Amino acid sequence: MEVNNIPNGFIIEQVAQQFGQLYFAYDTTSGTFTYIAPAFEQLWGIKPEDVFSNPTALLSCIHEDDWGFLSHQYQKLMMTHEKVRAEFRTVQPDRSTKWICLSACF
């Protein structure tokens, strides 16, 4: 859907940038991302096209101490279909860590 000839993706990006947020959409049936905001690389340290071509590449960015927690949160989301919020660390290409707050809904 477009409003006044402005694509929805553009509107989402503008809102996300204003609030310092990043959006992506993941299809749980196919195991693929259907949308990744261009700002994804700044936050995660990995290019969106790399994630589109290999979704598991995203896992390599998650701090190893947080994998179990995130796995549990993902399973909870899949079983309950209720909104999940998780805070975890990512490891950047320079090996620094960055905290991420993720809200996921089904």
Side-chain angles (χ1 to χ4, degrees), residues 8 13 15-16 26-27 55-56 82 89 106:
N8 280 344
E13 283 305 311
V15 171
Y26 180 77
D27 183 338
T56 59
E82 294 178 3
R89 292 164 287 181
F106 205 84

Side-chain angles (χ1 to χ4, degrees), residues 6-97:
I6 300 173
N8 280 344
F10 178 78
I11 293 170
I12 291 170
E13 283 305 311
Q14 294 301 306
V15 171
Q17 288 178 10
Q18 289 296 317
F19 291 99
Q21 297 181 348
L22 173 73
Y23 293 93
F24 61 86
Y26 180 77
D27 183 338
T28 57
T29 303
S30 67
T32 60
F33 285 88
T34 57
Y35 173 78
I36 299 175
F40 189 87
E41 186 174 3
Q42 290 176 322
L43 187 62
W44 282 82
I46 188 170
K47 294 178 182 178
E49 51 271 12
D50 292 343
V51 177
F52 275 123
S53 64
N54 180 17
T56 59
L58 186 61
L59 298 176
S60 67
C61 297
I62 297 171
H63 193 283
E64 64 183 42
D65 292 343
D66 295 338
W67 281 30
F69 169 71
L70 280 179
S71 176
H72 174 76
Q73 294 299 94
Y74 179 76
Q75 293 301 322
K76 180 179 170 183
L77 174 67
M78 296 303 292
M79 289 174 52
T80 66
H81 293 189
E82 294 178 3
K83 184 176 180 179
V84 171
R85 183 180 167 115
E87 291 185 21
F88 59 96
R89 292 164 287 181
T90 60
V91 179
Q92 301 297 299
D94 67 0
R95 306 308 300 160
S96 66
T97 58

